[in-house]
Each structure stands twice: as C-alpha cells, then as structure tokens.
Amino acid sequence: MSANVKPLEELEEDLPRHARLMGVDLGTKTIGLALSDVSRSIASPLETIKRTKFTADAERLIALAKQHDVAALVFGMPLNMDGTEGPRCQSTRAFVRNLEKLTDLPVVFWDERMSTQAVTRTLLDADASRARRAELVDKMAASYILQGALDRLRRL
C-alpha cells in the first residue's frame, strides 16, 4: 500500500476538523463524484466526468477537490461478489497509483458492491426515465459509496 492510500480507520486522525471528503465511482466511461458536508454526515451527488484521457480526467477530479476543500478521496472498490479482486479492481488501483503522482490527497478504498444496482433500483422506483437514470446513476453511486464510508467513520 502506498503512502497516500490508507485504511478508513486511519483516515480520521489525519483530517482537518471541517474538511470534506469526495466519493469517486470510477467507471470505464464516466467518473461519478460525490461530496460530503463539512460535518462528514451526508453525501451528496456532485458531478459526472465523461472519461477521456487519464490526465484530463485526473485534472478535473483534482480541480473539483480543490474547489470544494476536499481533504481525502473515497474510491469505490469494485470487488467481485465473493469479495475477491478482479480486473476492475486492478484498473481502480492503477488509476489511484497514477493519481498519487499528481496530488497528495489521501485515498481510501470502500467496497462498492451493489452500489450501482441499489441506485438504479431507487431511480426505477422513482420512475426516472432511462435517459435520466443514465445521467444520474454514476454520481449517485459515488454518493452511495461515500455515504457508506461516512457512516462507518461515525461508528469508529
């Protein structure tokens, strides 16, 4: 594990008091982003970045993190249903390794199994159109991931 990647349990001690966290749902075509409030209680969807090249994607992510005074990033880790890591986990780890060359923000990984399915189900229940679901699902999945990490932080 690199210096910037930390277990969630160690993150809290290094954070400024009113610092926000940013949730990241890294997909192959988009990157969903979510933002916590300053009390780190509630996660809200922020933006969906359309993936192009790593440098452009990373620069946008870092710019938003700076704009919102983010102190750490919570990346969804797309584990297999049995808890093992597959190719998508390797892609996520590679993205974070490259991102660490551009920023000193600490990174934690959070199990994102079922996040997209849970969000899609919520949007279906809300009778959202297919186009609206496509527009919202990634940033809402990032919010779902971040909310799980925030809830865990409160219980530590």
Side-chain angles (χ1 to χ4, degrees):
M1 206 177 317
S2 71
N4 284 2
V5 176
K6 301 175 177 290
L8 186 67
E9 296 76 18
E10 291 177 16
L11 181 65
E12 186 80 22
E13 60 200 44
D14 295 335
L15 293 176
R17 185 152 187 229
H18 293 291
R20 296 175 188 267
L21 301 181
M22 180 179 279
V24 183
D25 180 37
L26 186 68
T28 55
K29 296 179 182 170
T30 60
I31 302 171
L33 300 176
L35 195 61
S36 76
D37 61 332
V38 295
S39 67
R40 295 194 289 273
S41 300
I42 299 170
S44 301
L46 178 64
E47 182 176 309
T48 300
I49 299 171
K50 193 110 173 121
R51 301 242 358 223
T52 55
K53 296 203 179 299
F54 170 79
T55 302
D57 300 343
E59 285 173 354
R60 179 68 183 148
L61 191 156
I62 292 167
L64 285 166
K66 285 180 183 171
Q67 177 184 340
H68 294 284
D69 295 321
V70 168
L73 303 170
V74 179
F75 271 79
M77 182 56 75
L79 298 170
N80 295 323
M81 290 309 291
D82 65 1
T84 60
E85 291 191 13
R88 289 190 57 227
C89 288
Q90 293 170 0
S91 295
T92 300
R93 289 188 186 282
F95 186 95
V96 168
R97 268 193 311 276
N98 289 324
L99 187 67
E100 287 179 311
K101 297 170 187 167
L102 304 175
T103 181
D104 290 332
L105 286 174
V107 171
V108 297
F109 291 117
W110 185 256
D111 182 354
E112 73 163 53
R113 281 179 283 186
M114 305 301 288
S115 62
T116 301
Q117 292 89 334
V119 167
T120 301
R121 192 170 28 257
T122 300
L123 291 169
L124 284 169
D125 290 347
D127 206 24
S129 69
R130 182 182 303 265
R132 186 75 175 136
R133 288 193 309 265
E135 177 186 323
L136 293 175
V137 72
D138 297 308
K139 62 185 173 184
M140 286 185 66
S143 183
Y144 187 91
I145 291 162
L146 181 56
Q147 189 64 55
L150 293 172
D151 292 347
R152 178 69 181 123
L153 276 173
R154 274 199 309 279
R155 289 192 301 271
L156 291 177

